[in-house]
Amino acid sequence: MAGLAVLDIVASLVGVGLMIPGLLPAKDANAPVVRIQAGSPSDITHDLGGDLPGIRLFDVWGRLVGEKKGSKKKEIKTSSFWDITVPFADGVGNPPSEYISVVNGGDDALCIAYIALTQPDDTKKVFYGDFAKECGADWYHSWFKTGDDDYQPACFWIDKNRSYGLRYQGIGLHFNDFAPTEERAKQLNENRDLMCKSKPRLHMYEEMGYETYIPFFNPPLELETKDGAMTDKDPGAVFDESRWAMPEKPKPQENDEVEIHFPNRFVRRGDGNSGISGSTNFTAVVISTSPRHSAKELCESPTSRGDDFVSSTENLFCDMELKKLWPVCDSQTTSACFDTTTSTMRPGKGLRGRDSRSGMVPPAKSYTKTVRWG
């Protein structure tokens, strides 16, 4: 795995904490509130904001708690968030929500840095994009910052028509399983499959409609709560598919509107294993001064998607289309390098502009815009 170990990720979240003012939505005494945070402060080719997603919440037994349809007419602006009040479904009372599904509400892709939930009793939960990234979601760096050490989670992409080489329409997850404790960090670091290979816990969906139901644990998992550890008492139960139950779908009443979901079979997709389609149709370049942003990590990851990227701290440029690293031009490197002043690749000094070191021809690059993070 390129980048942070699971332990480092969760340890960062332990440092960040759950109760940072402004990070979580305010309590609504009558309904759960979900916050969706987009990942970027500036427009890029396809900015990291996007269409307002659809939200469904489920209780410990997989029963629908409430839902709110997404909309292609409403957008989460880049670097912004949207607080979505999810009214309780008729007849359910006000049970606490444990599971959530998030599906893109339109064809404008959305890169999510974090999902937060505030319950009517003011209980708060957070899921950061780093978890989805580590489990194979399409991802990109985000400029969203939080905490005293400016923690910057990755953002993960969801897209209804799966354009730009993006693979997933939505995500389903069990909020309770991502508590930021040191004990949880240790357990996930020792066995990452606990996070990534259990469908009720966390799953990215290639096919997901607004009314898609997600699996839940039946019986519910037991967590070790002593000293606030929040670890799995029986890790084997996480993988026991006989416990992966599906909710019973309510029968539609006469005159009810029913949303029919058709798979998008005729859209251009990226190959999640090859990494070659990392910048399909992306035409901007991002230049970041953040030490947390690695061009090398983007280039080495088969699941990263987004615009070409420069890390000023690494002095490296990532050509996301070919997943190829090039040096940034400086006083020592003056050819076959990326010029951050003109946002162009300089040719090499070899035959026909080849790089004398690798023998490769630097790619010709033309951008609609240059975005500077820093």
Side-chain angles (χ1 to χ4, degrees):
M1 172 186 66
L4 297 174
V6 173
L7 177 61
D8 295 331
I9 291 170
V10 185
S12 294
L13 303 191
V14 173
V16 169
L18 285 175
M19 305 304 176
I20 297 175
L23 183 64
L24 303 172
K27 179 184 77 169
D28 184 324
N30 300 309
V33 183
V34 174
R35 174 170 294 182
I36 304 292
Q37 170 72 54
S40 164
S42 312
D43 284 347
I44 49 182
T45 299
H46 187 102
D47 63 41
L48 305 185
D51 291 324
L52 190 69
I55 305 293
R56 303 189 94 197
L57 297 172
F58 305 88
D59 71 5
V60 64
W61 298 108
R63 294 172 296 205
L64 182 66
V65 171
E67 58 188 349
K68 188 79 170 184
K69 284 191 174 182
S71 174
K72 62 183 180 182
K73 297 180 181 180
K74 297 179 181 178
E75 289 192 350
I76 302 177
K77 298 301 182 183
T78 307
S79 186
S80 298
F81 61 80
W82 198 295
D83 286 348
I84 303 167
T85 301
V86 183
F88 286 114
D90 292 341
V92 301
N94 57 350
S97 302
E98 291 200 10
Y99 296 86
I100 185 173
S101 67
V102 180
V103 60
N104 199 304
D107 294 337
D108 189 2
L110 172 66
C111 203
I112 299 173
Y114 75 83
I115 305 168
L117 169 68
T118 299
Q119 311 264 27
D121 65 358
D122 212 26
T123 301
K124 301 177 186 296
K125 304 177 189 294
V126 176
F127 175 87
Y128 286 91
D130 275 324
F131 289 115
K133 167 195 166 188
E134 294 303 315
C135 291
D138 299 326
W139 69 278
Y140 196 67
H141 289 311
S142 80
W143 191 245
F144 168 77
K145 298 179 183 180
T146 188
D148 293 337
D149 62 347
D150 287 337
Y151 167 64
Q152 292 176 278
C155 63
F156 65 95
W157 292 100
I158 57 172
D159 187 18
K160 189 174 182 179
N161 66 350
R162 293 179 299 187
S163 56
Y164 297 90
L166 303 175
R167 296 171 293 159
Y168 300 110
Q169 295 181 333
I171 187 173
L173 63 97
H174 187 213
F175 259 124
N176 293 29
D177 294 337
F178 296 94
T181 70
E182 292 182 9
E183 294 82 2
R184 182 52 132 186
K186 183 174 185 293
Q187 188 176 57
L188 293 179
N189 191 58
E190 291 173 350
N191 187 356
R192 197 182 321 139
D193 288 350
L194 286 171
M195 181 169 65
C196 300
K197 293 190 176 180
S198 178
K199 196 169 184 179
R201 176 160 285 176
L202 170 60
H203 189 71
M204 298 298 303
Y205 288 82
E206 290 189 11
E207 306 285 349
M208 186 178 227
Y210 167 70
E211 294 189 349
T212 297
Y213 278 77
I214 60 175
F216 64 98
F217 292 110
N218 185 15
L221 297 178
E222 291 187 68
L223 298 180
E224 178 56 68
T225 58
K226 184 179 179 181
D227 298 324
M230 300 303 289
T231 54
D232 295 304
K233 280 188 176 181
D234 178 10
V238 177
F239 309 113
D240 183 356
E241 294 189 26
S242 68
R243 299 172 66 129
W244 298 4
M246 289 298 295
E248 183 177 347
K249 299 179 182 179
K251 296 179 180 179
Q253 301 296 314
E254 189 176 354
N255 299 325
D256 272 0
E257 292 185 8
V258 178
E259 178 180 291
I260 301 175
H261 174 62
F262 294 97
N264 290 311
R265 301 190 184 280
F266 306 106
V267 296
R268 185 175 181 178
R269 305 186 200 177
D271 181 350
N273 296 315
S274 71
I276 297 301
S277 302
S279 68
T280 304
N281 295 329
F282 288 87
T283 57
V285 61
V286 176
I287 300 175
S288 174
T289 61
S290 171
R292 293 182 177 272
H293 290 160
S294 169
K296 186 174 186 288
E297 182 186 15
L298 276 174
C299 259
E300 292 179 350
S301 169
T303 57
S304 62
R305 300 285 186 271
D307 288 283
D308 289 351
F309 195 90
V310 173
S311 166
S312 296
T313 56
E314 294 175 322
N315 227 29
L316 290 173
F317 163 75
C318 176
D319 175 354
M320 286 287 286
E321 183 175 4
L322 298 177
K323 294 293 183 77
K324 166 67 178 171
L325 281 170
W326 295 90
V328 170
C329 302
D330 57 21
S331 59
Q332 302 298 317
T333 305
T334 59
S335 63
C337 56
F338 186 82
D339 188 326
T340 56
T341 302
T342 60
S343 294
T344 58
M345 284 292 298
R346 294 183 188 173
K349 293 182 177 180
L351 183 64
R352 296 179 181 175
R354 290 184 182 276
D355 176 16
S356 57
R357 293 158 297 189
S358 67
M360 296 184 65
V361 177
K365 289 290 182 178
S366 176
Y367 299 106
T368 56
K369 66 177 65 175
T370 298
V371 179
R372 297 181 185 274
W373 289 358

